[in-house]
Amino acid sequence: MKKILSFYFYLFIFTSFLTAQPKPYVLLISFDGFRWDYANRGITPNLDKMKQNGVSASSLQPAFPTKTFPNHYSIITGMYIDHHGIIANHFINPFTDEVYKLRDTNAVRNSKWYLGEPFWTTAERQGIISASYFWPGSEQRLSYRHPTYFERYDHHRPHKTSVNGVINWLQLPQNVRPHFITLYFHDTDDNGHKYGPNSQQVNSAISSLDSVIGYLNKKLTEIKMKDSVDIILVSDHGMTEISPKKVINIEKILKGFNYKIEGEKPFLLIKPRGYQIDSVYNVLKKHENHYKVYKRAEMPDYFHYSENPFIFPIIVVADLGWSLVTNSSLKKFINQNSKGNHGYDNHQLDMHGVFIATGPHFKKNYRTGTVWNIDIYPLLCKIFNIIPRSNIDGKLDRIGFILK
Ligand code: AMP
Ligand code: ZN
Ligand code: ZN
């Protein structure tokens, strides 16, 4: 009996060995502010190849507000912004007056701001070594909340250095080599703000990022990993044209009231001092022209932006292309002469990003409609065959059909 049992035991081990799938390799790449249509301008030969060999969506729907940190964190946690806690690039904890802002490295590395579980943590808990060549939230100080390998954000790091860094990680010995890696490039966002989404400068940034993909493919071929790596290219949001002629001066409308303001020109969070919520709301409602005003509790469900206690009681969302200003920010706005912005209603197509994916797990030459960025986390879990957190907002059902 013992002999028969051990025969079946060894047979089981042998067949599991034969059928065991190799652990996938996935690169998740973000081009900041790369609007959905930038890959359709006839200037992206490398992205065109990716589309032919893989899956492309007509757009990637971000979460509200359509800003960099909130959306990168939605992509990596599979959660709406009011659930993962990074409610803006800059916000305040109204109970303690502590501030979170993307330019404050101390705050950005402090895990107390970050709710939800980033994919790299989900992966590492389940035996997948991860790495990040930049991603908002990847530099958290707590050791179990950052990937095994990560780089501190450097806005001026040359693109090739970043790609070479990733290639070096992929050549580490098998037992310490990361299988999930993020990469991030900012160029389309910078140029979109300065010159607008339809400028020559944005087209140059698009071409330059396209050639980063060409360089990455060349290096992957050199290390003989081109056919074994999945590449998922995303962006955090799009970009729209703005003008100093399309401004709403909130300070003029709220003259005589005492309040705190957070947020940026496309959306503002307002906290009236004392018991003035209704009166401030009523005045803003009366002047509601080129913007929409909401009480936090009455924010329409489709924004998914009412549950986090740090969101101020009144939310103002500018119409596409309009800017909400105060006396001082208006002066700055005119001096800066910015031509593009994002942060508006996430259902506006101009705020949508890009989604292209290729590699062994993806269907070939498969074009689909809009997909949602919160669904990327469960997609990654499916590729790695690991268990997602149960409290996410993303759904594999909405995106799983792009896999083979
Ligand atoms: P925004 O366009 O205001 O939503 O933010 C874009 C800016 O975020 C970029 O130009 C970068 O300077 C900054 N940024 C992006 N990723 C990071 C990061 N991981 N750490 C710090 N800053 C970042
Ligand atoms: Zn961004
Ligand atoms: Zn931006």
Side-chain angles (χ1 to χ4, degrees), residues 32 67-69 89 102-103 135-136 139 153 155 184 186 189-190 193 237 264 342:
D32 199 322
K67 283 284 173 188
T68 298
F69 266 60
N89 283 342
L102 63 82
R103 308 237 181 270
W135 199 275
E139 298 175 39
Y153 186 68
H155 198 71
Y184 164 91
H186 65 80
D189 184 67
D190 275 3
H193 282 296
H237 51 72
E264 296 162 72
H342 54 89

Side-chain angles (χ1 to χ4, degrees), residues 229-255:
V229 176
D230 289 313
I231 299 180
I232 306 177
L233 172 67
V234 298
S235 54
D236 49 351
H237 51 72
M239 188 67 71
T240 200
E241 273 176 9
I242 54 168
S243 150
K245 288 188 188 131
K246 292 185 174 178
V247 293
I248 307 126
N249 191 331
I250 286 291
E251 210 170 330
K252 272 194 188 160
I253 298 175
L254 292 183
K255 208 165 173 198

Side-chain angles (χ1 to χ4, degrees), residues 83-367:
H83 289 161
H84 68 52
I86 305 300
I87 59 165
N89 283 342
H90 184 297
F91 60 95
I92 188 165
N93 172 343
F95 307 102
T96 62
D97 279 346
E98 287 168 288
V99 173
Y100 177 97
K101 54 181 171 191
L102 63 82
R103 308 237 181 270
D104 175 353
T105 40
N106 201 29
V108 158
R109 291 177 194 167
N110 192 338
S111 291
K112 75 177 174 192
W113 298 103
Y114 300 87
L115 313 176
E117 184 173 88
F119 179 75
W120 50 73
T121 305
T122 307
E124 299 243 353
R125 279 197 298 104
Q126 298 179 64
I128 315 264
I129 301 175
S130 301
S132 167
Y133 215 109
F134 306 154
W135 199 275
S138 62
E139 298 175 39
Q140 293 178 53
R141 263 185 230 101
L142 282 181
S143 58
Y144 59 91
R145 309 234 36 209
H146 63 70
T148 297
Y149 308 101
F150 66 95
E151 284 286 314
R152 301 228 181 271
Y153 186 68
D154 172 5
H155 198 71
H156 303 289
R157 184 78 45 94
H159 298 336
K160 284 191 175 170
T161 310
S162 305
V163 173
N164 292 342
V166 167
I167 295 295
N168 288 341
W169 280 334
L170 287 174
Q171 289 176 290
L172 286 172
Q174 291 273 5
N175 59 333
V176 290
R177 184 186 297 169
H179 279 249
F180 171 70
I181 305 177
T182 71
L183 259 166
Y184 164 91
F185 300 95
H186 65 80
D187 312 49
T188 33
D189 184 67
D190 275 3
N191 286 283
H193 282 296
K194 274 190 207 139
Y195 306 105
N198 299 317
S199 61
Q200 189 46 49
Q201 288 87 343
V202 161
N203 284 348
S204 304
I206 295 170
S207 301
S208 143
L209 291 186
D210 181 73
S211 51
V212 171
I213 298 295
Y215 181 71
L216 171 67
N217 284 333
K218 179 172 155 275
K219 297 306 273 184
L220 286 173
T221 308
E222 277 171 25
I223 62 167
K224 302 195 170 37
M225 289 187 74
K226 173 84 177 71
D227 296 329
S228 46
V229 176
D230 289 313
I231 299 180
I232 306 177
L233 172 67
V234 298
S235 54
D236 49 351
H237 51 72
M239 188 67 71
T240 200
E241 273 176 9
I242 54 168
S243 150
K245 288 188 188 131
K246 292 185 174 178
V247 293
I248 307 126
N249 191 331
I250 286 291
E251 210 170 330
K252 272 194 188 160
I253 298 175
L254 292 183
K255 208 165 173 198
F257 287 102
N258 196 351
Y259 53 89
K260 229 182 211 173
I261 284 193
E262 279 294 328
E264 296 162 72
K265 294 172 202 79
F267 78 101
L268 291 180
L269 306 177
I270 300 181
K271 183 171 181 248
R273 290 194 209 274
Y275 296 94
Q276 296 186 320
I277 295 178
D278 283 337
S279 17
V280 166
Y281 172 80
N282 289 339
V283 171
L284 286 167
K285 194 75 194 160
K286 197 170 130 205
H287 292 85
E288 199 177 44
N289 193 17
H290 303 304
Y291 67 81
K292 292 271 179 295
V293 60
Y294 307 100
K295 284 190 196 164
R296 190 182 112 195
E298 293 162 11
M299 188 81 176
D301 286 347
Y302 52 73
F303 281 120
H304 298 276
Y305 198 66
S306 58
E307 287 181 29
N308 190 286
F310 295 177
I311 300 171
F312 283 180
I314 294 175
I315 299 148
V316 189
V317 186
D319 287 356
L320 195 71
W322 284 77
S323 301
L324 298 154
V325 295
T326 56
N327 291 336
S328 62
S329 76
L330 177 59
K331 265 193 206 141
K332 223 166 121 192
F333 184 37
I334 290 167
N335 287 340
Q336 271 174 343
N337 197 22
S338 291
K339 296 284 195 301
N341 210 355
H342 54 89
Y344 300 94
D345 178 349
N346 56 324
H347 306 92
Q348 291 272 2
L349 195 51
D350 270 11
M351 292 300 103
H352 284 208
V354 71
F355 180 94
I356 308 174
T358 55
H361 290 88
F362 291 97
K363 287 182 179 165
K364 299 250 173 288
N365 199 8
Y366 187 89
R367 300 185 61 205

